[in-house]
Amino acid sequence: MEILGYFASLVIGISLGLIGGGGSILTVPVLVYLFDVDPVMATAYSLFIVGSTSLVGVFPKSKNGEINFKTAIIFGIPSIIAVYATRAFIVPAIPAELFTIGSLVVTKALMMMIFAILMVFASVSMIRSQDKAMEEQGPQVFNYPMILLEGAIVGLLTGLVGAGGGFLIIPALVLFSKLPMKQAIGTSLMIIAAKSLM
């Protein structure tokens, strides 16, 4: 089973490199089901794995001019604050066992259920952002309230379930910052690296 896990890890790296997202959506299930890691612990491991992988991907994107640093800062600051607050205050307050139904520990099941919902949302949002990217891009205009709000929401989700949020960040960058898809991918990697490692 571990060999399959290592193969899946390669797929995670490729996903992050190609589309700037999808890493943590794959990482948590791989850790839980292939490496037998506790779901709550897997969210913390996922942050480190995806943060490190994204950081490596930032360097070639930066050299190619595919990172918009202004957008990364505007989106990243509320996101980083939300991640820190979630990991410092909300996650420790969640009991290890809310209650059990037979042998099912509801806290762990709830974590994986939230993750399943996020996976469905991720697939839809990535397809829609790809369609949007095919449309002609206008000049960059910042929708500051929406960027700040989405940054905070993504940070909350990242801290809670270990999802780096690339599947939410890229559509936000394309829709609210008018970034071209390639630049949105590079900027997403930088934001994911910063907040996940935080």
Side-chain angles (χ1 to χ4, degrees):
M1 203 59 113
E2 281 191 11
I3 293 170
L4 190 58
Y6 292 124
F7 176 74
S9 301
L10 288 173
V11 173
I12 291 165
I14 292 168
S15 168
L16 275 168
L18 285 177
I19 61 172
S24 50
I25 283 294
L26 299 171
T27 302
V28 171
V30 165
L31 290 172
V32 172
Y33 298 116
L34 300 181
F35 290 108
D36 201 29
V37 176
D38 177 81
V40 178
M41 203 60 146
T43 64
Y45 289 165
S46 171
L47 291 175
F48 178 76
I49 292 165
V50 172
S52 304
T53 308
S54 298
L55 187 61
V56 171
V58 162
F59 296 108
K61 297 286 185 189
S62 181
K63 280 176 67 177
N64 295 335
E66 293 176 0
I67 295 178
N68 186 306
F69 291 97
K70 182 180 178 183
T71 305
I73 290 167
I74 293 168
F75 194 102
I77 288 173
S79 193
I80 288 169
I81 292 169
V83 169
Y84 180 79
T86 303
R87 292 309 286 192
F89 305 111
I90 297 175
V91 172
I94 299 172
E97 294 185 17
L98 289 172
F99 56 91
T100 57
I101 301 172
S103 62
L104 178 68
V105 178
V106 172
T107 305
K108 295 176 184 178
L110 186 63
M111 282 285 209
M112 296 314 292
M113 191 179 300
I114 292 170
F115 225 91
I117 293 166
L118 282 176
M119 288 180 86
V120 172
F121 185 75
S123 62
V124 172
S125 70
M126 292 303 284
I127 291 166
R128 291 184 67 191
S129 67
Q130 183 67 24
D131 291 341
K132 186 73 178 176
M134 290 177 182
E135 298 174 11
E136 190 175 337
Q137 295 287 336
Q140 185 175 24
V141 179
F142 289 96
N143 184 339
Y144 288 104
M146 289 304 293
I147 292 172
L148 293 170
L149 177 64
E150 182 132 13
I153 291 169
V154 168
L156 177 69
L157 287 172
T158 299
L160 191 62
V161 296
F167 60 91
L168 293 172
I169 294 170
I170 292 173
L173 297 181
V174 171
L175 296 173
F176 304 137
S177 299
K178 305 292 186 201
L179 289 184
M181 183 56 86
K182 279 192 174 182
Q183 205 170 64
I185 289 169
T187 306
S188 169
L189 285 174
M190 184 174 181
I191 295 167
I192 291 168
K195 70 190 179 60
S196 296
L197 291 173
M198 176 65 71

